[in-house]
């Protein structure tokens, strides 16, 4: 069915809002036209018209980093008592022995449904390959096919317990590649020695080059200021020419590097063209656990990397698993955590933070012309009951409509609280300031 959105504000690339309002017309699952709003124009005889009343139309949320194989396993077989990355890996290692295909398919699909309902239509999941049966991998490849008509899922082969430090780790990674993943990962800071860590990155680049795959490595996810594998990753990306097909995830040690080293590294990161993903929930939780006070924030240098022009995205990482007991997969919660953790609290920085789960994340994932509010591209977008990305982040709004492949996939009624203040008529409260309420026309969005 044809969809026309009338009178929407458009989110712009990099954060912010375009002046004026627009009509967006879709045909055959693609965006056919984006035109300045014209309320004199007759709506089409067939199809569905969505009156936006000036609400914010944005390309869908992009989840650049999640672990769907481990999701919804918190407390199984035990909780992560110390809250460290290392105990989390140990808990998962125990749970991993009981995996079945149905178990992984069911949990992964459940979280994808939660994310789709909240406007996420592009997802990169990591999948642990340090399992001799590769049970989770086969399950996630199956899920990728099953959800294809709704959202795009990239599967990264992730050697959670090491490439060279886990028995058969390199062979399992190669087998995962042979079974059809989208990207290859690594975990160099977890390998037994620095040499093993460097070797693991060479192994991963060789695999990626041979099979034409992207790379997304968990890299330097530790508070150890001596963990310096991201320089190896960036140098290999530069020399191999893979450049923006390479992502460094977490890189939390960067938050502990001395200024002199960080400055030199930043120059290399810019030259390499690699993308970076910061996961504020997981790393606010996991890092600093070995510190006495003051405890480090344990995040990568988000503000500095953005300032240098590096593509940086925010990821949710874990949803109810040994590394994060909470979460619903909501990208606006991720942004809120990231805004505070990385001190992105200037108004333009808050718009930028929003773009770290939209177009900046799309760039990290290499979505190219498969993403964006541009004629000819897939009709995937969200209508947010908000004036701007800043407003959407502040009030943590749910998408009124999620449109995927030109059809409405999810809708959340716009339902403010109702306040019965003594001596006054009942009043809706949606946290829009009273002085702005008259101009917030999107409040007329039909329930
Ligand atoms: Fe991760």
């Amino acid at each position: 069915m044809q969809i026309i959105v009338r009178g929407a504000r458009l989110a712009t690339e990099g954060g912010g809002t375009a002046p004026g309002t627009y009509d967006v017309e879709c045909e055959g699952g693609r965006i056919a036209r984006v035109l300045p709003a014209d309320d004199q124009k007759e709506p089409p005889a067939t199809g569905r018209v969505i009156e936006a009343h000036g609400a914010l139309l944005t390309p869908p949320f992009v989840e650049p980093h999640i672990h769907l194989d481990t999701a919804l396993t918190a407390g199984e077989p035990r909780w992560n008592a110390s809250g460290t990355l290392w105990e989390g890996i140990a808990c998962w290692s125990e749970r991993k022995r009981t995996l079945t295909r149905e178990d992984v398919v069911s949990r992964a699909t459940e979280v994808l449904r939660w994310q789709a309902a909240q406007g996420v239509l592009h997802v990169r999941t990591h999948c642990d390959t340090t399992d001799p049966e590769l049970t989770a991998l086969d399950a996630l490849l199956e899920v990728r096919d099953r959800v294809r008509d709704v959202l795009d899922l990239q599967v990264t082969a992730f050697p959670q317990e090491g490439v060279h430090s886990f028995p058969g780790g390199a062979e399992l990674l190669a087998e995962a590649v042979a079974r059809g993943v989208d990207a290859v990962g690594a975990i160099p800071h977890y390998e037994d020695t620095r040499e093993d860590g460097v070797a693991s990155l060479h192994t991963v680049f060789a695999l990626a080059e041979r099979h034409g795959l992207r790379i997304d490595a968990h890299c330097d996810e530790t508070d150890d200021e001596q963990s310096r594998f991201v320089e190896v990753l960036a140098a290999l990306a530069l020399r191999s020419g893979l450049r923006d097909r390479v992502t460094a995830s977490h890189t939390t040690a960067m938050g502990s590097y001395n200024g002199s080293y960080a400055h030199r590294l930043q120059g290399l990161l810019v030259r390499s063209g690699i993308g970076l993903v910061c996961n504020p929930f997981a790393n606010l939780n996991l890092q600093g656990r070995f510190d006495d006070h003051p405890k480090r924030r344990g995040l990568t240098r988000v503000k500095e990397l953005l300032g240098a022009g590096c593509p940086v995205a925010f990821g949710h990482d874990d949803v109810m698993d040994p590394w994060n007991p909470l979460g619903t997969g909501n990208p606006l919660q991720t942004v809120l955590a990231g805004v505070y953790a990385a001190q992105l609290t200037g108004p333009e920085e808050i718009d930028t933070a929003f773009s770290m789960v939209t177009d900046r994340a799309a760039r990290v994932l290499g979505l190219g012309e498969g993403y964006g509010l541009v004629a000819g591209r897939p009709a995937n977008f969200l209508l947010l009951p908000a004036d701007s990305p800043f407003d959407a982040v502040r009030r943590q709004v749910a998408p009124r409509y999620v449109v995927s492949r030109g059809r409405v996939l999810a809708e959340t009624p716009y339902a403010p609280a109702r306040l019965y203040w003594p001596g006054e008529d009942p009043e809706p409260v949606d946290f829009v300031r009273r002085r702005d309420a008259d101009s917030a026309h999107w409040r007329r969005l039909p329930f």
Side-chain angles (χ1 to χ4, degrees):
M1 194 205 298
Q2 186 176 342
I3 283 187
I4 296 187
V5 181
R6 304 216 306 175
R9 245 177 262 264
L10 299 189
T12 53
E13 212 173 305
T17 314
T21 54
Y22 290 81
D23 295 341
V24 175
E25 302 177 4
C26 308
E27 285 169 12
R30 299 208 159 248
I31 295 173
R33 284 166 290 280
V34 180
L35 304 162
D38 179 2
D39 34 350
Q40 305 303 317
K41 196 168 148 191
E42 284 293 311
T46 58
R48 180 167 182 177
V49 176
I50 295 175
E51 298 288 353
H53 299 291
L56 182 69
L57 198 74
T58 173
F61 291 132
V62 177
E63 175 54 70
H65 188 119
I66 197 167
H67 295 257
L68 291 174
D69 55 343
T70 63
L72 312 187
T73 64
E76 301 171 2
R78 61 190 173 90
W79 293 88
N80 178 351
S82 68
T84 61
L85 172 71
W86 318 108
E87 186 176 343
I89 294 174
C91 291
W92 168 242
S93 185
E94 292 166 34
R95 175 63 171 82
K96 198 160 46 174
R97 291 177 209 135
T98 65
L99 287 180
T100 64
R101 187 193 64 82
E102 296 76 18
D103 166 36
V104 179
V105 167
S106 149
R107 288 182 290 100
T109 307
E110 184 163 11
V111 173
L112 287 175
R113 291 166 68 98
W114 292 356
Q115 290 212 293
Q118 300 182 95
V120 181
L121 297 182
H122 303 273
V123 177
R124 176 179 285 176
T125 184
H126 295 261
C127 180
D128 186 359
T129 58
T130 49
D131 161 17
E133 307 302 323
L134 294 176
T135 303
L137 185 88
D138 287 340
L140 288 187
L141 293 176
E142 184 182 326
V143 170
R144 183 181 65 185
D145 289 336
R146 284 193 193 191
V147 301
R148 201 178 286 282
D149 291 341
V150 173
L151 56 86
D152 299 321
L153 179 62
Q154 296 183 4
V155 178
T156 302
F158 169 49
Q160 174 77 76
E161 296 185 56
V163 176
H164 297 300
S165 306
F166 183 80
E171 291 74 17
L172 285 166
L173 196 60
E175 176 59 25
V177 166
R179 293 191 190 184
V181 295
D182 303 281
V184 200
I187 185 164
H189 55 281
Y190 189 82
E191 302 281 353
D192 287 337
T193 67
R194 173 168 172 85
E195 287 69 24
D196 289 339
V198 172
S200 74
L201 292 175
H202 283 280
T203 300
V204 164
F205 271 81
L207 273 174
E209 285 185 285
R210 199 174 315 135
H211 298 276
L213 297 175
R214 294 177 176 276
I215 290 173
D216 190 334
H218 281 59
C219 203
D220 301 322
E221 188 182 5
T222 163
D223 293 322
D224 177 9
E225 71 280 7
Q226 301 295 323
S227 186
R228 296 182 173 186
F229 294 104
V230 70
E231 68 177 15
V232 180
L233 186 77
L236 289 173
L238 187 60
R239 292 170 199 174
S240 65
L242 286 181
R243 298 174 62 89
D244 62 359
R245 292 174 64 80
V246 177
T247 305
S249 284
H250 296 285
T251 65
T252 58
M254 211 186 294
S256 296
Y257 293 158
N258 67 70
S260 176
Y261 177 67
H263 176 78
R264 184 182 76 78
L265 175 64
Q266 188 170 293
L268 173 60
L269 292 174
V270 171
R271 281 189 289 131
S272 73
I274 70 168
L276 296 107
V277 179
C278 168
N279 299 297
F281 284 133
N283 293 124
L284 284 171
N285 179 33
L286 300 171
Q287 308 314 131
R289 292 278 182 168
F290 297 98
D291 289 356
D292 196 351
H293 288 282
K295 286 181 183 285
R296 284 168 284 182
R297 286 171 189 244
L299 294 191
T300 193
R301 299 187 176 217
V302 174
K303 192 188 283 257
E304 293 80 0
L305 291 166
L306 286 168
C310 293
V312 192
F314 278 139
H316 200 295
D317 203 11
D318 301 295
V319 180
M320 298 180 74
D321 72 6
W323 302 278
N324 179 4
L326 302 174
T328 65
N330 179 345
L332 284 182
Q333 287 184 352
T334 304
V335 170
L336 192 67
V339 159
Y340 287 108
Q343 297 184 329
L344 297 174
T345 45
E348 287 172 6
E349 289 176 323
I350 291 169
D351 279 346
T352 297
F354 179 90
S355 77
M356 291 167 72
V357 295
T358 55
D359 55 271
R360 282 176 210 267
R363 187 173 158 198
V364 169
L365 264 52
L367 300 183
E369 296 189 352
Y371 186 86
L373 296 176
V374 177
R377 298 192 183 180
N380 299 330
F381 46 76
L382 321 174
L383 190 67
L384 296 174
D387 286 338
S388 63
F390 180 106
D391 187 32
V393 173
R394 180 179 78 81
R395 294 187 303 108
Q396 295 282 291
V397 297
R400 180 67 187 84
Y401 297 100
V402 178
V403 173
S404 167
R405 282 74 166 149
R407 72 179 187 92
V408 173
L409 176 67
E411 38 183 314
T412 304
Y414 187 63
R418 200 152 184 83
L419 181 68
Y420 303 96
W421 196 261
E424 294 182 12
D425 291 337
E427 185 188 55
V429 176
D430 57 4
F431 314 105
V432 175
R433 292 187 67 177
R434 287 176 178 213
R435 71 172 193 203
D436 300 330
D438 287 346
S439 61
H441 299 296
W442 43 261
R443 296 169 109 202
R444 294 183 209 143
L445 277 172
F447 279 58

